[in-house]
Amino acid sequence: MTLGRLPPLNPLRAFEATARHGSVTAAARELNVTHGAISHQIKALEAILDVQLFERGAQRLKLTPQGALLLPTVSRAFEDIASTTALIKRPTTSGELTVTCVPALLSLWLIPRMNQFTEQYPDIRLTLIASNDSDNLRSADVDVCVLYGHGNWTDCWIRLWTTLKLFPVASPTLLNMRPLRSVRDLRNHVLLHGDDGREWNTWLAAADATEHARGAQHFMSDARLSTEAALYGQGVALGDTITASNLIAKGELIVPFDLTVPANNAFYVACRNEVRNAPIVKVFIDWLFASLETDTITEPQTSARRIIRRRNGKVSAPERLASPPIAPTTRPKRPDRSQKRRVKIDIR
């Protein structure tokens, strides 16, 4: 169909509104015209197309097969026009940007770096919402979503941000009072869950500890709460290589066992297709990925993979997993032999 053969815009608007509401009166109210004007526009469109679009006589208007075929295309066209018009009106890299983010990632990773984004884009005003609800992807009030999940959401732009490794974390105060010398000692601690228990089960299975007796357990709605509970010495939580990294580096949390497991899900950045190329959205998404690349993520364990590979051998993983309760920072270099010799000479 060439542009010269397209139906006029006003009859299409009248048809779309009437079909969506199932009522000429409601369509007239939305478009701020009279009932008669809507009826006239629909009849004009039917005459142009030479088909009947509605079945008359019923209490609620019902689309004919031809009307049902036309409606989705017309609706998408108006949505695309509205979205593109909004993008045109939006300033290039200024204005309001609404971001929903996994609560733990928002509190422990994004907010500590928010000043870096503000320094680069001082004219963008952020609205940050703690949420891991994928329904936000369909909300016109949300620009970008950072989600933890399977990544199979449809009808949107989506890209993997990072995968995660999980490992137990606890406060130094707790471990000073109640040490964790082996996995069996976990029965003397409260296990803090940031989900329904699946992630702890995954870690315990990797440690050959699913049959060990467990002590008290607390379940929380997200990993932010379980991490905060661990910070307050309320028990042992599962940390990850992203959200717990800074806390471990500062010594606020300690990694008592030398074993990591892949998380069941991953972090994804997603948004509606129609806003992906908006400059204000693009700069934020680009900043998210660039910030991740420049992060120095300390690997909390060094021999976990060796332990897992030797699981079928003679090594008893539960007895060998315990490590000194120190933050997993890079080990200091040993002094070279020449330095040792100089020390001995000075002493003599």
Side-chain angles (χ1 to χ4, degrees), residues 224-236:
R224 175 187 58 181
L225 299 179
S226 60
T227 301
E228 288 180 355
L231 283 170
Y232 283 105
Q234 302 298 323
V236 183

Side-chain angles (χ1 to χ4, degrees), residues 142-190:
V142 176
D143 298 303
V144 180
C145 298
V146 185
L147 299 166
Y148 179 70
H150 47 66
N152 295 329
W153 306 290
T154 58
D155 299 326
C156 64
W157 178 90
I158 183 168
R159 181 178 170 189
L160 173 68
W161 189 61
T162 186
T163 56
L164 300 170
K165 294 178 182 177
L166 303 177
F167 44 87
V169 291
S171 72
T173 303
L174 177 65
L175 296 189
N176 284 334
M177 295 187 301
R178 195 176 302 167
L180 273 174
R181 298 185 179 89
S182 73
V183 176
R184 287 191 177 89
D185 290 338
L186 282 173
R187 62 190 172 189
N188 301 320
H189 288 266
V190 177

Side-chain angles (χ1 to χ4, degrees), residues 237-248:
L238 279 182
D240 64 68
T241 41
I242 300 296
T243 62
S245 181
N246 288 340
L247 298 172
I248 295 168

Side-chain angles (χ1 to χ4, degrees), residues 3-205:
L3 292 178
R5 295 172 58 190
L6 287 173
L9 182 62
N10 283 339
L12 288 173
R13 290 184 66 198
F15 162 73
E16 191 277 335
T18 301
R20 178 161 36 85
H21 289 292
S23 166
V24 172
T25 302
R29 188 181 306 114
E30 177 183 312
L31 298 179
N32 198 27
V33 296
T34 64
H35 185 285
I38 293 293
S39 297
H40 175 75
Q41 295 288 0
I42 293 174
K43 289 178 181 179
L45 182 60
E46 290 177 327
I48 292 170
L49 300 177
D50 195 22
V51 296
Q52 185 175 337
L53 299 174
F54 293 97
E55 295 179 3
R56 271 72 173 184
Q59 291 183 348
R60 177 182 174 87
L61 287 178
K62 183 179 179 181
L63 288 168
T64 64
Q66 293 84 357
L69 179 65
L70 179 62
L71 179 61
T73 300
V74 173
S75 297
R76 283 195 300 268
F78 281 123
E79 289 174 1
D80 290 343
I81 292 170
S83 298
T84 303
T85 302
L87 295 181
I88 292 172
K89 291 181 178 180
R90 175 176 282 184
T92 305
T93 54
S94 63
E96 297 182 6
L97 186 73
T98 300
V99 178
T100 67
C101 184
V102 182
L105 186 66
L106 178 61
S107 296
L108 302 173
W109 189 91
L110 181 54
I111 287 179
R113 291 162 177 78
M114 192 167 56
N115 64 310
Q116 300 172 12
F117 180 80
T118 302
E119 289 171 2
Q120 287 184 254
Y121 304 101
D123 296 325
I124 295 180
R125 184 168 65 254
L126 292 174
T127 297
L128 301 176
I129 301 171
S131 173
N132 193 38
D133 188 353
S134 60
D135 286 345
N136 290 316
L137 287 170
R138 292 184 286 273
S139 172
D141 297 326
V142 176
D143 298 303
V144 180
C145 298
V146 185
L147 299 166
Y148 179 70
H150 47 66
N152 295 329
W153 306 290
T154 58
D155 299 326
C156 64
W157 178 90
I158 183 168
R159 181 178 170 189
L160 173 68
W161 189 61
T162 186
T163 56
L164 300 170
K165 294 178 182 177
L166 303 177
F167 44 87
V169 291
S171 72
T173 303
L174 177 65
L175 296 189
N176 284 334
M177 295 187 301
R178 195 176 302 167
L180 273 174
R181 298 185 179 89
S182 73
V183 176
R184 287 191 177 89
D185 290 338
L186 282 173
R187 62 190 172 189
N188 301 320
H189 288 266
V190 177
L191 293 189
L192 303 170
H193 298 273
D195 67 345
D196 58 3
R198 283 178 291 177
E199 291 185 334
W200 258 115
N201 288 339
T202 299
W203 189 89
L204 290 169

